[in-house]
Amino acid sequence: MFSWLMAKYYDYMLRDAEEKCLKDWRKTLLQDLSGDVLELGCGTGANLSFYPQTIKHLVLAEPNSFMQQQLDLKLKNYPHLSTCILDCFAESIPVPDNSFDVVVSTLLLCSVKNPAIALSEIHRVLRPGGKLLFIEHVAANNNPVRLKWQKRIEPFWKIVQCGCHLTRDTEANILQAGFTLKTINRQSMRGVPAVARPSIWGAAVK
Ligand SMILES: C[S@@+](CC[C@H](N)C(=O)[O-])C[C@H]1O[C@@H](n2cnc3c(N)ncnc32)[C@H](O)[C@@H]1O
């Protein structure tokens, strides 16, 4: 039931954050893309309006069928993008090694079951020199009070937010997967509850 509700009201729930910061982050991150691009956990397609026409091909991966329905509706507004939809989890991407120039992960690594496996899959499917572009909310490692609240709330949050974790150290996980950070912004995601605000966004290179 929660995954149906999440898909139906996802855009509504994020509208404040989109206006206050997310749209700007998405736009900056995706503006200069080219080549073959894979977006994992694309949800309702919040990134679609920011993909430039310089992209050769865009593969949109999403395992939740309710999210896919919302995505289908939105995709009709982007006939200029060469897209296909893949029904898969980030932990098991059914494509050969070195298939993509760019992998996009926005608000995904908080939700995957196993971030280490997901990141090693992302590393595998990227070509040498390929980029992982990310926007992720993370553990408040430099704010002990907020981190304490994140830990307290996380068990309940995970249930109502379809597996979303509040205390992941995604920056460390990206480095452990063998990526080199090219750019990283550490900012507060305004427009969401305080426990989900600490965020990182940027690019890492294979
Ligand atoms: C918080 S939403 C983010 C949607 C979109 N990427 C955005 O930026 O707004 C998380 C998405 O990841 C998907 N997801 C959850 N676990 C996943 C996994 N293991 N592999 C791939 N996608 C997953 C969910 O179905 C959902 O659509």
Side-chain angles (χ1 to χ4, degrees), residues 38 40 90 93 96-100 103 116-132 173-180 204-206:
L38 167 66
L40 292 165
I93 308 171
D97 299 357
N98 308 323
S99 292
F100 292 97
V103 172
I117 296 179
L119 281 161
S120 91
E121 273 293 88
I122 293 171
H123 197 272
R124 179 184 70 76
V125 302
L126 274 172
R127 298 183 177 128
K131 277 189 290 187
L132 163 63
N173 291 340
I174 290 172
L175 293 172
Q176 266 160 25
F179 287 96
T180 305
V205 181
K206 173 174 174 177

Side-chain angles (χ1 to χ4, degrees), residues 10 26 41-43 46 62-64 67 89-91 106-108 111-112:
Y10 184 77
R26 295 184 197 275
C42 63
E62 173 53 53
N64 176 340
M67 286 288 192
F89 290 96
E91 291 91 336
T106 59
L107 309 179
L108 167 74
S111 294
V112 299

Side-chain angles (χ1 to χ4, degrees):
M1 185 189 77
F2 283 125
S3 66
W4 177 82
L5 279 174
M6 177 91 157
K8 187 138 179 64
Y9 295 107
Y10 184 77
D11 291 349
Y12 180 75
M13 287 189 308
L14 271 195
R15 72 198 185 293
D16 203 22
E18 294 287 356
E19 291 310 320
K20 287 184 167 149
C21 57
L22 270 177
K23 274 187 185 165
D24 283 345
W25 297 357
R26 295 184 197 275
K27 186 174 169 203
T28 306
L29 203 60
L30 303 176
Q31 62 190 349
D32 291 325
L33 289 192
S34 58
D36 296 307
V37 179
L38 167 66
E39 181 177 348
L40 292 165
C42 63
T44 62
N47 286 324
L48 284 176
S49 58
F50 303 102
Y51 282 116
Q53 300 203 350
T54 41
I55 287 179
K56 195 165 140 207
H57 191 60
L58 173 63
V59 177
L60 297 163
E62 173 53 53
N64 176 340
S65 60
F66 301 118
M67 286 288 192
Q68 279 178 21
Q69 285 165 19
Q70 302 293 324
L71 178 66
D72 280 341
L73 292 175
K74 219 174 267 177
L75 261 180
K76 295 192 176 84
N77 300 323
Y78 302 93
H80 59 281
L81 290 174
S82 160
T83 57
C84 74
I85 296 181
L86 198 58
D87 182 353
C88 79
F89 290 96
E91 291 91 336
S92 177
I93 308 171
V95 303
D97 299 357
N98 308 323
S99 292
F100 292 97
D101 301 295
V102 177
V103 172
V104 176
S105 164
T106 59
L107 309 179
L108 167 74
L109 293 168
C110 54
S111 294
V112 299
K113 283 207 172 70
N114 189 321
I117 296 179
L119 281 161
S120 91
E121 273 293 88
I122 293 171
H123 197 272
R124 179 184 70 76
V125 302
L126 274 172
R127 298 183 177 128
K131 277 189 290 187
L132 163 63
L133 303 181
F134 56 88
I135 299 174
E136 301 289 349
H137 66 85
V138 293
N141 284 336
N142 52 9
N143 182 336
V145 176
R146 191 169 297 184
L147 183 61
K148 190 173 79 183
W149 279 103
Q150 287 181 324
K151 286 179 180 165
R152 275 190 188 154
I153 289 169
E154 189 169 67
F156 169 73
W157 181 273
K158 273 194 297 192
I159 296 168
V160 295
Q161 296 287 332
C162 298
C164 173
H165 295 68
L166 292 167
T167 59
R168 289 204 164 150
D169 191 345
T170 299
E171 184 176 338
N173 291 340
I174 290 172
L175 293 172
Q176 266 160 25
F179 287 96
T180 305
L181 283 172
K182 192 167 170 239
T183 54
I184 184 154
N185 301 279
R186 299 178 185 88
Q187 282 180 274
S188 176
M189 195 190 301
R190 288 168 294 128
V192 297
V195 285
R197 276 186 210 151
S199 299
I200 55 170
W201 64 278
V205 181
K206 173 174 174 177

